[in-house]
Amino acid sequence: MTSAPLAARLTRVQGPLFFPVTAYRPDGALDLDAFRTHVRRGIDAGAAAVFACCGTGEFHALTPEEFGACVAAAVAETAGEVPVVAGAGYGTALAVRFAEIAEAAGADGLLAMPPYLVVADQPGLLRHYTALAEATSLDVIVYQRDNAVFTPEAVVELARADGIIGLKDGHGDLDLIQRIVGAVRRDLPDEDFLYFNGLPTAELTGLAYRGIGITLYSSAVFAFAPDIALAFYRALITGDDKTVNRLLDGFYGPLVELRNLGRGYAVSLVKAGVRLEGLDVGEVRPPLSEPRPEHITALADLIERGRALLEDGA
């Protein structure tokens, strides 16, 4: 962990945000050596930040002890080169406990995922996230999706709270996110609140979010094909729409179609991709299931096609 504020470090990022998978041995136990190798490869490939033990990292399947070991391994491997943000979730008490573990492990910040199961009203959600922020010195990014979707007025209150630095949008309602951005800009004109495109394959909506002014995004593809993800990122931020559209039409669009063929593929298909690239990170833990063999074959073909598109555009 460095002394530089997380918000400042994320504001000046020059690459995709990396969400590593969590590696397991054949017996199902953690494989921290493989996990560290995965993290190192991502850093060397140009990751701007490491988001450890989040959705792609199967936060839901980790014990607190495993979570702490993984976050500490990510912190050790990054050695301050890029910030490490750890997941936190469930109810308020458990989210605070995971925050404490992440802080002790040296993380730079938290990605606060939706509370477990319950559908809360806006005041209840605000109580939950502000309590989490008050319980830790780590900066908090709130993940909007599923049962944690906010009104613009609620996000203004989140932005007012000490320690909450941004909103990751996994809901995908562009009308809503535009109104959220506008409300925070109007009511808190001096607040440098961060926004992230957090949809499962964020590149597919990258042009739309860029139009709203949101350029930070999570890249699941970076976990298994960092060369494709980085080429897309550079094209997006430089306005090279020709390259963006070539990759959207030839790679990312078909990838989303493939991802939609199975439940949980937003995680298990990514993990299969990491294995296809030569690093054995094991299978996903229950209740997730492995992709069907023909879908893994289709993913391998798609990665090859994506790299061919890079060569064609060189």
Side-chain angles (χ1 to χ4, degrees):
M1 184 171 66
T2 71
S3 59
L6 177 61
R9 298 181 76 188
L10 290 174
T11 299
R12 58 176 183 261
V13 300
Q14 295 296 318
L17 305 178
F18 175 32
F19 285 66
V21 302
T22 298
Y24 307 124
R25 298 197 302 255
D27 64 0
L30 286 182
D31 188 339
L32 291 177
D33 289 338
F35 177 71
R36 287 187 62 154
T37 297
H38 183 41
V39 170
R40 172 47 52 190
R41 288 182 181 181
I43 296 168
D44 291 346
V50 173
F51 282 68
C53 304
C54 296
T56 307
E58 297 179 79
F59 171 80
H60 68 277
L62 299 174
T63 67
E65 294 77 17
E66 291 173 327
F67 170 84
C70 281
V71 174
V75 170
E77 195 59 45
T78 60
E81 293 178 58
V82 298
V84 174
V85 178
Y90 304 118
T92 306
L94 273 177
V96 167
R97 179 65 185 129
F98 278 101
E100 293 169 345
I101 294 169
E103 188 166 3
D108 297 281
L110 298 172
L111 177 63
M113 289 176 282
Y116 172 70
L117 191 60
V118 297
V119 178
D121 59 14
Q122 297 292 296
L125 289 172
L126 287 172
R127 287 179 60 207
H128 171 74
Y129 290 105
T130 54
L132 174 59
E134 289 169 358
T136 176
S137 66
L138 297 180
D139 288 332
V140 176
I141 300 163
V142 174
Y143 195 179
Q144 168 169 267
R145 60 175 293 173
D146 300 327
N147 59 329
V149 176
F150 301 93
T151 64
E153 294 77 15
V155 177
V156 169
E157 294 309 308
L158 289 174
R160 288 187 200 275
D162 290 340
I164 298 179
I165 66 167
L167 180 77
K168 181 185 179 189
D169 180 47
H171 182 55
D173 183 337
L174 292 175
D175 175 271
L176 174 60
I177 196 65
Q178 177 65 76
R179 290 186 290 113
I180 285 171
V181 171
V184 175
R185 185 169 54 221
R186 179 190 65 241
D187 293 353
L188 303 171
D190 298 323
E191 187 70 34
D192 293 326
F193 199 62
L194 300 179
Y195 301 94
F196 305 76
N197 176 355
L199 291 171
T201 304
E203 287 91 344
L204 194 68
T205 52
L207 286 170
Y209 277 81
R210 189 184 72 181
I212 298 174
I214 299 173
T215 57
L216 293 167
Y217 64 89
S218 54
S219 176
V221 169
F222 189 87
F224 62 85
D227 50 340
I228 299 174
L230 192 58
F232 182 90
Y233 173 84
R234 288 170 175 163
L236 184 66
I237 64 171
T238 60
D240 179 4
D241 289 352
K242 181 178 180 181
T243 297
V244 167
N245 288 327
R246 184 171 67 251
L247 289 172
L248 286 176
D249 297 342
F251 176 77
Y252 285 103
L255 176 64
V256 169
E257 293 175 4
L258 178 60
R259 186 199 72 207
N260 290 343
L261 293 178
R263 287 186 177 275
Y265 273 20
V267 177
S268 62
L269 202 65
V270 173
K271 206 162 194 180
V274 177
R275 295 195 302 268
L276 285 171
E277 292 296 292
L279 181 61
D280 186 1
V281 290
E283 298 184 348
V284 291
R285 282 178 171 174
L288 296 179
S289 298
E290 284 297 299
R292 292 167 55 179
E294 62 268 29
H295 294 162
I296 295 177
T297 299
L299 177 61
D301 293 342
L302 192 53
I303 294 170
E304 183 177 351
R305 186 193 312 173
R307 290 181 172 140
L309 289 171
L310 296 185
E311 293 178 3
D312 291 343

